Amino acid sequence: MTDAETTPRTGKRVLLAKPRGYCAGVDRAVQTVEEALKLYGAPIYVRKQIVHNKHVVRTLEAKGAIFVEENEEVPEGATVIFSAHGVAPEVYEQAKARSLKAIDATCPLVTKVHQEARRFAAEDYDILLIGHEGHEEVVGTAGEAPAHIQLVDGPDGADKVTVRDPEKVVWLSQTTLSVDETLETVARLKQRLPLLQSPPSDDICYATSNRQHVVKEIAPDCDVVIVVGSRNSSNSVRLVEVAVDAGARAGHLVDFAHEIDDAWLEGARTVGLTSGASVPDELVQQVLAHLAERGFADVEEITTANERLTFSLPQELKRDLKAAAARG
């Protein structure tokens, strides 16, 4: 029985999910840009949004980061940081051709999926990549072995798959998907391909799984669940879906507290609150203050996991920081 179930339904309250917000990969990526700005000075160019969050991008822009879509927009010889979502090998080649100093802030858990793609392609497997078409992470992973990879976008996509050898096929996935929907997609694929192999370890990242798990815990007690996150953040969008699927009467995604519509709170006694893996906690605190002003002052934090994982900074940046420290 959760704390949420034992708390009497009196007054207005907020069930605050934990874990929420920044994961280790996002923390590392944002820190990479901040440290690069301090070490090399502005401007520092970043290919794509470093993480999918409006507030984070605006904050880094104010410090001197310039976000671009492609390497061609970066002046020759300048420093460019690749986002946490990962890039295809051709992006590294383009950077080399323009003499760019490239710093790779790809989340190590995304890098793991890239390594799996390369390994299975080298062994001549057909690779079924479960993910959302056009998402940066999917584009980067597919670029590792385009001749071997085909995208499966949700359970219905399973019916369109064709493979060369049903005994030599494996599935991989984007790291930020709905755990339940991915399992449903895999089950559909296995109906057609009984010998489908799974990745050596789960591709959906620990942070995505943990945030979905705690939302499932609180959702049945919630009249509405508010997820703080940006619309292009896959894991944030999934949290809204998971909340509604798990029994919340409604779910909404907002970037900032002022986007909350008071109509969502009418008649509500319990509001669930969480945030995507690329959201700084200050935005959640602002939502809590906003809710408190509307009578939701009783806050109960529901914890289902404690996250302690951290990732070290990219090697290229660590090397330069060490050299700068040695020079004094």
Side-chain angles (χ1 to χ4, degrees):
M1 188 174 271
T2 66
D3 292 346
E5 289 167 326
T6 57
T7 305
R9 292 177 67 90
T10 56
K12 293 179 176 181
R13 62 175 181 162
V14 177
L15 296 183
L16 179 61
K18 185 181 178 184
R20 63 180 179 276
Y22 269 19
C23 62
V26 165
D27 198 28
R28 171 184 186 260
V30 174
Q31 208 185 333
T32 296
V33 180
E34 291 173 340
E35 291 295 330
L37 282 163
K38 284 183 215 163
L39 183 62
Y40 309 120
I44 292 292
Y45 293 84
V46 184
R47 184 184 178 277
K48 308 288 186 186
Q49 290 190 358
I50 187 70
V51 296
H52 286 156
N53 184 265
K54 271 186 196 174
H55 175 77
V56 171
V57 168
R58 285 177 192 167
T59 303
L60 292 173
E61 279 177 334
K63 292 179 180 178
I66 296 175
F67 291 88
V68 298
E69 283 301 302
E70 298 299 343
N71 286 336
E72 289 75 42
E73 299 167 61
V74 182
E76 289 209 12
T79 298
V80 64
I81 297 175
F82 297 146
S83 81
H85 308 104
V87 296
E90 64 182 11
V91 176
Y92 293 98
E93 294 306 316
Q94 291 163 359
K96 213 171 179 179
R98 291 182 63 76
S99 303
L100 302 180
K101 179 185 180 63
I103 297 173
D104 185 6
T106 301
C107 173
L109 299 178
V110 174
T111 300
K112 175 185 85 78
V113 181
H114 283 222
Q115 289 166 345
E116 290 168 352
R118 288 196 296 271
R119 179 163 74 80
F120 284 112
E123 294 171 13
D124 202 30
Y125 274 76
D126 278 340
I127 300 166
L128 308 180
L129 177 60
I130 301 171
H132 297 300
E133 189 164 7
H135 190 279
E136 284 158 44
E137 186 187 322
V138 164
V139 172
T141 303
E144 292 287 355
H148 289 262
I149 291 177
Q150 54 187 304
L151 182 66
V152 183
D153 197 339
D156 291 342
D159 303 331
K160 305 182 187 83
V161 164
T162 56
V163 298
R164 294 168 299 159
D165 180 354
E167 294 186 10
K168 211 164 182 187
V169 58
V170 64
W171 69 270
L172 302 177
S173 85
Q174 184 181 329
T175 62
T176 54
L177 299 179
S178 156
V179 175
D180 292 341
E181 187 178 294
T182 302
L183 292 175
E184 190 187 333
T185 304
V186 171
R188 285 273 283 274
L189 285 168
K190 283 188 171 173
Q191 285 172 7
R192 298 188 56 218
L193 300 161
L195 298 176
L196 176 70
Q197 292 188 39
S198 300
S201 60
D202 199 350
D203 282 348
I204 294 178
C205 92
Y206 76 96
T208 299
S209 301
N210 287 347
R211 279 148 193 70
Q212 289 177 18
H213 179 66
V214 66
V215 163
K216 284 183 191 175
E217 286 285 312
I218 66 173
D221 291 307
C222 294
D223 298 300
V224 59
V225 171
I226 293 170
V227 178
V228 185
S230 293
R231 300 207 169 276
N232 63 338
S233 165
S234 175
N235 76 88
S236 300
V237 172
R238 300 290 83 73
L239 285 172
V240 178
E241 296 169 355
V242 167
V244 173
D245 287 347
R249 261 63 90 209
H252 300 282
L253 183 67
V254 298
D255 263 298
F256 304 103
H258 67 78
E259 295 173 4
I260 295 170
D261 186 336
D262 283 345
W264 302 344
L265 306 176
E266 278 176 23
R269 309 294 288 171
T270 301
V271 174
L273 178 60
T274 189
S275 57
S278 47
V279 178
D281 209 51
E282 66 189 275
L283 299 183
V284 175
Q285 298 307 318
Q286 288 166 13
V287 170
L288 283 173
H290 182 95
L291 291 171
E293 288 168 5
R294 283 150 184 81
F296 294 87
D298 179 16
V299 179
E300 185 183 350
E301 193 167 59
I302 307 295
T303 306
T304 55
N306 288 302
E307 296 176 350
R308 296 186 180 87
L309 184 66
T310 57
F311 294 131
S312 63
L313 292 170
Q315 291 298 329
E316 311 92 339
L317 182 57
K318 268 176 31 180
R319 194 172 52 237
D320 287 358
L321 285 167
K322 197 173 175 183
R327 289 194 301 272

